[in-house]
């Protein structure tokens, strides 16, 4: 690969395979047509293909997340899980109560604009936000009233 004077280097030909509102997916060269044989009753899936994706992203402030994590206890705002106590790992995720994708330009946030959530509650909040359009406070209320597996054994297994 030869580097140009601008620091770019040629990596081959690409084609656009998908165009969405917020991203474009480029594929290098032609798709592989390699056949894979397996027993009839086994499902096979191909993974690992490399592709270049260009996204339009709203930048998040790492500073506000760092400040929130240093000012708050690392307990999930919804289920109260403490990852350090349970797993021996200090881990928690910061969630924007108002999705930053709803803003058309940069804006100022404070610590109260975010909450600390365990990965499970964080994913559930995003699913509720996408499907229902509810605000964070309503979703927190809904998820906070769901029975916990600690209190309710799973008899379906």
């Amino acid at each position: 690969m030869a580097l140009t004077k601008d620091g770019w280097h040629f990596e081959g030909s690409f084609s656009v395979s998908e165009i969405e509102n917020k991203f474009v997916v480029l594929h290098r060269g032609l798709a592989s047509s390699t056949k894979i044989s397996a027993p009839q009753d086994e499902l096979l899936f191909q993974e690992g293909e490399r592709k270049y994706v260009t996204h339009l992203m709203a930048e998040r402030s790492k500073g506000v997340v760092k400040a929130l994590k240093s000012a708050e206890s690392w307990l999930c705002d919804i289920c109260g899980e403490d990852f350090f106590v349970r797993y021996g790992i200090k881990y928690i995720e910061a969630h924007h109560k108002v999705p930053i994708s709803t803003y058309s330009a940069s804006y100022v946030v404070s610590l109260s604009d975010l909450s600390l959530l365990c990965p499970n509650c964080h994913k559930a909040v995003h699913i509720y936000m996408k499907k229902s359009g509810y605000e964070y406070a309503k979703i927190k209320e809904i998820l906070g009233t769901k029975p916990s597996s600690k209190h309710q054994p799973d008899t379906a297994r």
Side-chain angles (χ1 to χ4, degrees), residues 78-92:
I78 294 175
C79 72
E81 187 72 71
D82 182 334
F83 262 56
F84 187 73
V85 170
R86 183 170 181 126
Y87 301 108
I89 299 168
K90 195 171 184 184
Y91 181 80
I92 194 118

Side-chain angles (χ1 to χ4, degrees), residues 78-81 86 143-155:
I78 294 175
C79 72
E81 187 72 71
R86 183 170 181 126
L143 293 176
T145 60
K146 299 271 185 216
S148 170
S149 61
K150 293 178 188 173
H151 307 297
Q152 201 99 13
D154 184 2
T155 56

Side-chain angles (χ1 to χ4, degrees), residues 55-129:
H55 295 269
L56 177 61
M57 293 180 56
E59 288 292 324
R60 291 161 174 81
S61 168
K62 292 178 184 173
V64 71
V65 172
K66 185 177 179 180
L68 179 67
K69 289 180 178 182
S70 68
E72 300 283 327
S73 61
W74 286 35
L75 300 176
C76 178
D77 187 41
I78 294 175
C79 72
E81 187 72 71
D82 182 334
F83 262 56
F84 187 73
V85 170
R86 183 170 181 126
Y87 301 108
I89 299 168
K90 195 171 184 184
Y91 181 80
I92 194 118
E93 298 177 355
H95 171 75
H96 288 80
K97 293 175 184 175
V98 175
I100 64 172
S101 62
T102 62
Y103 295 98
S104 60
S106 64
Y107 60 99
V108 176
V109 295
S110 67
L111 298 183
S112 64
D113 293 325
L114 289 91
S115 60
L116 293 175
L117 301 176
C118 73
N120 289 340
C121 288
H122 196 185
K123 182 66 177 180
V125 166
H126 279 273
I127 291 169
Y128 270 89
M129 289 178 110

Side-chain angles (χ1 to χ4, degrees), residues 18-33:
E18 296 175 50
I19 299 177
E20 298 292 332
N21 289 339
K22 295 185 179 183
F23 64 88
V24 174
V25 178
L26 303 174
H27 281 278
R28 182 193 318 239
L30 300 172
S32 172
S33 60

